[in-house]
Amino acid sequence: MSTASVHKPWLVQHYFDRALAHAPGKLAVTCGPDNLTYVQVDRAASEISHRLRQAGMRRGDCIPVFMPKSVDAVCSILGVLRADGAYVPIDTDSPASRVAGIVAALGSGLMLVNAAGRAKLSSAEYESMKSVLTLIDVDDAWRIEASEVPLQYSAISVDIAYVLFTSGSTGHPKGVMISHQAVIDYIDWCVHQYRITATDKIANHAPLYFDNSTFDLYTAFAAGATLHLVPPELNAVVPRLASWLRDRAISVFFCVPSVLTLLLKSRRLQAGMFPDLRELVFAGEVVQPDVLTAWMEFFPEARFTNMYGPTEITVDCTYHVVETPPGDEPVPIGKARPNMELFIALENGELSQRPGATGELWVRGLAVGYGYLGDPDKTARAFVQHPSSRFPDRLYRTGDLVRMREDGALLFQGRADQQIKHLGHRIELGEIEAHLQAMAEVEEAVVVFQRAENPAQEGIGALVSTKSGLQSNEVLALLKQLVPGYMLPRKLKCTTDPFPRTPNGKYDRKEILQVVFADSGH
């Protein structure tokens, strides 16, 4: 453990080190039957960091963490940070080609795995990737006696803490680089805003490759609280999550709004069933007012907060505490959190902060990310210099359209491009299109998205024209090898008819949406 941890944190692992010094025997993280105290996590993280350094890891290397959500994964994340690297959680259910692309972009040559990750890599489709990687096994790390050699961190606050890969419109995922100082700027505010203390039990619902997990991990460690990882299998059977939240006595729960919708529709909720829940935070997609109203009526003692922010600005840049049930009124994404500034880019190029302004949201602040790993062109398009600043001062162009109310709160109005949020995942429809159009068997492909108040009825759709009479199930089978499961179209229709087009020759996406979902019953 670095002795610097007793001071104000400037590296995110300092949060954990500080909690360890205060209460080494306290339960730190739990997942299913696995329960590790702060000192046990410390032992594992130290062992993993030493293994990484012995394997040749250098300061600043980006290390993929290839394992399902687990206590192993949390220890691995801390291990990478303690070795002065940046961690990169990877979805083990992603196609091998996508994983290989991410690993190639990172260029470290090392990968952390546990038994589950290693089993996944044993299939033939990963063979070529494994030949260029050194796999570091973490299964037994927490059982090893801690090294007597204390770790001294070389990283400083401007170094990268993590890289998260998001969907890219060209068919290649984009690696968003986030610094230690950006995470600390966000987490320090969250701990204060949500009154998080060592007595809290914080649920981690988001996958670790989804930026919402940043809130869960580091608010828990910053406060010395206990982190309860929601087992991955509960995401497949969402109704069981209600009893899990109750039985675990969760006090702080951060999730995507679709989880609230699915839990409400499951009819598992009962008034007062979460007596310990005091902070319910949601972000990642639009919350339905009627769903939120029902939750607030069930649990009037909890405080409800809507947050908003792309991965590129370190989880969230706005927040709105919902004081009264919204009824049928749209829920604002709110105002800027401290140390962030928001602008609305108007059609004439002006950056406005006036009530009534409508346009693309641009974000400024310490927590704005560094850009996309190894992709200066995409970085230059999305991260631009503030036109009024005399010093390097980048604004992130979110691509989200907003309108400012008279009270200064922002209302989300949609996207300026083809990006969607579905069940918490940020997806570029263009990425799916690019993969379909690159198939030798496909002549033409358009991908659309059907919105619905009930997330269970939402879905990605695709209209495809094939060269050899390929059927929809065959096209889906090919696509499954290229994109994660959450990006697969729910409806894919193959056709020999001309695609609907607008008078100017562009695809008529509204008409294509109707064609694809014509027999869906929605």
Side-chain angles (χ1 to χ4, degrees):
M1 179 181 72
S2 169
T3 56
S5 63
V6 298
H7 303 297
K8 177 176 171 57
W10 66 85
L11 301 175
V12 295
Q13 62 266 35
H14 286 160
Y15 285 135
F16 180 88
D17 295 347
R18 187 175 61 187
L20 171 68
H22 289 162
K26 181 177 180 177
L27 183 61
V29 58
T30 174
C31 185
D34 298 323
N35 305 282
L36 296 187
T37 63
Y38 272 89
V39 74
Q40 288 175 310
V41 174
D42 170 58
R43 185 183 304 159
S46 295
E47 174 64 21
I48 291 166
S49 67
H50 283 299
R51 292 181 188 181
L52 285 166
R53 288 176 175 176
Q54 290 167 2
M57 177 185 161
R58 300 162 298 179
R59 173 181 170 180
D61 280 353
C62 298
I63 305 298
V65 177
F66 190 75
M67 59 191 78
K69 185 196 294 188
S70 57
V71 296
D72 286 340
V74 174
C75 294
S76 296
I77 284 171
L78 283 168
V80 173
L81 292 170
R82 286 186 166 188
D84 290 326
Y87 63 91
V88 188
I90 296 181
D91 179 7
T92 55
D93 290 328
S94 284
S97 59
R98 185 182 179 89
V99 176
I102 291 173
V103 168
L106 299 177
S108 73
L110 304 174
M111 175 182 276
L112 291 175
V113 296
N114 65 355
R118 194 170 57 253
K120 193 81 173 182
L121 292 171
S122 65
S123 61
E125 58 184 340
Y126 287 98
E127 200 58 45
S128 60
M129 187 179 72
K130 282 175 23 183
S131 65
V132 298
L133 280 175
T134 297
L135 302 182
I136 299 175
D137 200 309
V138 305
D139 275 333
D140 61 348
W142 68 273
R143 298 181 179 89
I144 306 298
E145 287 298 322
S147 170
E148 295 182 1
V149 180
L151 285 168
Q152 295 297 326
Y153 308 138
S154 298
I156 62 175
S157 63
V158 295
D159 287 325
I160 299 171
Y162 64 75
V163 178
L164 294 182
F165 279 80
T166 68
S167 181
S169 59
T170 61
H172 302 287
K174 301 175 293 187
V176 180
M177 300 179 287
I178 300 296
S179 69
H180 286 265
Q181 64 182 356
V183 177
I184 288 172
D185 180 73
Y186 172 67
I187 293 298
D188 280 355
W189 172 76
C190 286
V191 170
H192 171 76
Q193 174 65 22
Y194 299 110
R195 307 166 291 182
I196 298 174
T197 71
T199 62
D200 277 309
K201 296 180 178 180
I202 299 174
N204 164 238
H205 181 269
L208 297 178
Y209 55 83
F210 185 20
D211 69 334
N212 281 3
S213 64
T214 304
F215 174 99
D216 307 325
L217 288 171
Y218 299 115
T219 57
F221 296 152
T226 300
L227 179 67
H228 292 253
L229 305 180
V230 178
E233 58 267 22
L234 287 189
N235 288 333
V237 191
V238 172
R240 289 172 50 199
L241 179 60
S243 56
W244 184 91
L245 292 168
R246 179 198 62 210
D247 295 344
R248 292 281 177 142
I250 296 300
S251 57
V252 180
F253 183 39
F254 185 14
C255 67
V256 293
S258 55
V259 169
L260 302 181
T261 302
L262 293 171
L263 282 172
L264 182 64
K265 302 289 185 185
S266 73
R267 301 184 184 279
R268 297 292 182 93
L269 298 184
Q270 298 175 13
M273 74 178 297
F274 305 139
D276 301 282
L277 182 65
R278 58 177 191 80
E279 297 283 354
L280 199 155
V281 185
F282 38 93
E285 56 198 8
V286 175
V287 63
Q288 298 302 323
D290 60 330
V291 171
L292 180 54
T293 295
W295 271 82
M296 294 182 75
E297 291 172 350
F298 270 126
F299 311 109
E301 301 304 317
R303 184 170 67 165
F304 294 77
T305 304
N306 188 24
M307 293 210 291
Y308 156 88
T311 304
E312 286 84 347
I313 52 81
T314 315
V315 193
D316 298 296
C317 60
T318 75
Y319 73 108
H320 175 75
V321 178
V322 186
E323 302 286 357
T324 58
D328 57 0
E329 292 294 318
V331 181
I333 58 174
K335 300 179 181 180
R337 67 171 176 83
N339 207 29
M340 303 295 288
E341 189 171 16
L342 311 176
F343 299 92
I344 297 175
L346 306 181
E347 290 186 1
N348 63 6
E350 176 189 353
L351 295 182
S352 175
Q353 294 178 316
R354 295 192 305 272
T358 300
E360 183 185 7
L361 180 61
W362 291 19
V363 182
R364 173 178 184 246
L366 180 66
V368 170
Y370 286 153
Y372 304 114
L373 180 69
D375 201 330
D377 291 338
K378 283 182 181 174
T379 298
R381 288 194 294 271
F383 297 81
V384 298
Q385 171 64 24
H386 191 317
S388 300
S389 292
R390 297 183 178 183
F391 54 89
D393 181 10
R394 291 195 302 175
L395 298 167
Y396 174 63
R397 305 175 57 177
T398 67
D400 288 328
L401 301 177
V402 297
R403 177 173 64 83
M404 183 176 288
R405 297 194 316 189
E406 289 301 314
D407 63 356
L410 297 176
L411 291 170
F412 181 77
Q413 303 284 284
R415 287 289 301 177
D417 54 23
Q418 284 189 276
Q419 188 185 107
I420 63 166
K421 283 286 187 74
H422 182 45
L423 299 178
H425 296 284
R426 190 172 89 173
I427 300 170
E428 293 276 4
L429 297 183
E431 178 176 357
I432 306 170
E433 277 188 12
H435 282 301
L436 285 169
Q437 292 169 353
M439 294 179 184
E441 301 85 353
V442 172
E443 288 185 334
E444 204 171 10
V446 173
V447 177
V448 292
F449 183 66
Q450 176 173 263
R451 300 186 183 279
E453 289 191 5
N454 183 352
Q457 295 178 337
E458 288 190 336
I460 299 169
L463 188 63
V464 178
S465 173
T466 61
K467 297 176 182 178
S468 53
L470 217 61
Q471 299 301 305
S472 58
N473 61 329
E474 296 172 300
V475 177
L476 281 171
L478 293 171
L479 186 60
K480 190 175 183 180
Q481 302 173 35
L482 303 172
V483 301
Y486 62 81
M487 292 176 66
L488 286 174
R490 183 164 65 85
K491 295 279 290 185
L492 189 148
K493 182 173 182 178
C494 291
T495 183
T496 56
D497 296 332
F499 282 21
R501 294 181 181 273
T502 63
N504 62 7
K506 295 182 179 180
Y507 289 123
D508 187 336
R509 293 182 181 273
K510 290 184 179 179
E511 181 64 26
I512 289 173
L513 184 68
Q514 294 180 2
V515 170
V516 172
F517 287 95
D519 59 349
S520 66
H522 307 316

